[in-house]
Amino acid sequence: MWLGPLANVLARNTPPCSAVIQLFSESLDHALPLRKRMLLRLHFLMCKYCERYRQQLLFIREAVRQHPERLEGQDSSPTPSLSPEARERIKRTLAGKEQ
Amino acid sequence: MEPRQLSDPETWTDQHGDYLYRCALLRVRDSALAEEVVQETFLAALQARDRFAGQSSERSWLVGILKHKVIDHFRKAHREAPRDNPQELGRELDTEGLFDEAGHWKLGRTEPLEWPHNPSTELERKEFWEVLKRCLASLPPRMATAFSLREVDDRSSEEVCDALNITASNLWVILHRTRKHLRQCLEGHHFGRTAA
């Protein structure tokens, strides 16, 4: 089979997993040059662990972007809330400005 | 749909104060500062209330203003304070030894596990969010802030760099460490591998 030798060649020519996940994270924040994008793609094809890592990071990103309210919501215990002093201060300030 | 109307500003604090406080806390990670941001948000909203178009709910309108106030706050704070060394941020989270000397996952110990893949049901689970919140809370504040602005609020890298007064390459390193930590934390406490 030609796939074995090919995989070896590819493996020698893509960076190790530790560098791949750093590069992948970077690709979420700015456009990488074509060569680096290709390296990433090849590595993900060959390495199921890095491929999982990629999907899981994208899953986390989608989760928090689509449901920010779940991070801000009150279904946690204890629920952070304004202190009574701050609440009073804010009310007073608002009332003062409104007039 | 009828354009919505704003409620009486006197009721805002009771209606939205706690919610906005949690929004602010997620992003600034300091309770006194979060309270300040809430107050500034209400004041800005009061001034801008004639421009409320009624397209969104009162609460999401207020949250939008709050996000701007958070960015303003960081810009101001970093103009006034000397910068720390962003390269050091989260370095202690980096010592977990995920990789062997050749840079490969340590099989049976650190390689990413398969997560049960039904994202929509996962996102419905309260436990998932509880764990994610705890994982976020375990980050150093500036890392959590970088994550909130970039990932939650979808601000561009340039905006986040500007707000935090760091270079792009510093931001990439910080976000890489943050994402790596959060993924591992979720896997350790929610998706299966005990004691990551």
Side-chain angles (χ1 to χ4, degrees):
Chain A
M1 275 295 281
W2 56 276
L3 270 178
L6 180 62
N8 282 336
V9 171
L10 293 177
R12 274 200 302 276
N13 284 289
T14 68
C17 304
S18 54
V20 163
I21 62 162
Q22 176 149 10
L23 198 57
F24 170 65
S25 175
E26 256 188 56
S27 79
L28 297 176
D29 301 310
H30 72 119
L32 296 179
L34 181 67
R35 199 182 84 80
K36 288 186 174 175
R37 289 206 307 273
M38 295 300 288
L39 281 178
L40 279 182
R41 201 173 287 185
L42 279 175
H43 188 98
F44 290 135
L45 277 174
M46 295 182 307
C47 175
K48 66 175 174 186
Y49 304 121
C50 286
E51 172 60 18
R52 273 183 203 162
Y53 186 93
R54 183 184 78 84
Q55 289 181 6
Q56 290 163 359
L57 251 54
L58 292 176
F59 169 73
I60 296 171
R61 167 177 270 196
E62 282 311 298
V64 299
R65 282 197 183 164
Q66 284 176 16
H67 303 279
E69 77 287 351
R70 298 297 295 264
L71 290 174
E72 293 150 354
Q74 46 189 322
D75 52 354
S76 73
S77 45
T79 303
S81 53
L82 280 176
S83 64
E85 301 79 40
R87 184 181 301 275
E88 278 316 304
R89 194 172 61 240
I90 291 171
K91 279 185 178 173
R92 271 202 311 278
T93 315
L94 264 178
K97 290 281 174 183
E98 227 187 325
Q99 284 150 18
Chain B
M1 204 165 62
E2 285 276 300
R4 283 172 257 214
Q5 303 281 321
L6 288 180
S7 60
D8 183 348
E10 269 185 39
T11 67
W12 286 354
T13 314
D14 286 332
Q15 277 193 76
H16 307 296
D18 287 337
Y19 186 83
L20 291 182
Y21 174 71
R22 286 191 290 274
C23 290
L25 203 55
L26 174 69
R27 293 167 176 85
V28 303
R29 294 287 298 272
D30 176 282
S31 52
L33 209 58
E35 289 174 353
E36 207 180 299
V37 168
V38 173
Q39 176 162 324
E40 283 174 19
T41 300
F42 283 138
L43 290 176
L46 199 60
Q47 282 194 330
R49 74 182 144 159
D50 296 339
R51 296 199 294 277
F52 177 71
Q55 303 299 323
S56 59
S57 71
E58 179 171 289
R59 179 166 285 184
S60 36
W61 180 66
L62 288 167
V63 170
I65 296 175
L66 180 133
K67 288 178 185 172
H68 285 289
K69 288 290 157 198
V70 167
I71 298 269
D72 284 351
H73 156 75
F74 282 116
R75 288 211 186 102
K76 211 161 58 190
H78 294 306
R79 267 201 306 274
E80 286 160 8
R83 62 164 77 189
D84 52 12
N85 184 354
Q87 285 292 348
E88 291 304 314
L89 264 179
R91 196 181 277 287
E92 70 282 2
L93 299 174
D94 242 11
T95 54
E96 297 136 344
L98 281 183
F99 300 100
D100 62 20
E101 299 83 34
H104 299 296
W105 302 101
K106 296 177 183 164
L107 292 192
R109 288 172 55 203
T110 64
E111 82 282 9
L113 300 178
E114 205 160 351
W115 290 1
H117 248 79
N118 192 340
S120 52
T121 51
E122 196 54 54
L123 297 182
E124 291 302 314
R125 293 181 60 192
K126 197 175 153 190
E127 196 212 342
F128 168 79
W129 293 101
E130 284 301 311
V131 173
L132 184 54
K133 275 197 248 185
R134 281 208 304 276
C135 293
L136 266 173
S138 67
L139 289 167
R142 282 185 86 192
M143 289 178 81
T145 295
F147 181 84
S148 300
L149 297 180
R150 177 78 191 109
E151 297 293 71
V152 184
D153 293 346
D154 197 7
R155 295 271 174 177
S156 70
S157 300
E158 292 75 22
E159 283 177 295
V160 184
C161 287
D162 182 40
L164 298 181
N165 194 24
I166 53 180
T167 63
S169 54
N170 283 334
L171 176 69
W172 299 333
V173 171
I174 291 171
L175 286 171
H176 164 57
R177 287 180 185 155
T178 306
R179 291 172 178 136
K180 189 167 65 163
H181 174 75
L182 284 179
R183 194 210 69 83
Q184 223 186 332
C185 184
L186 270 172
E187 187 157 283
H189 297 97
H190 182 68
F191 286 117
R193 199 191 303 267
T194 45

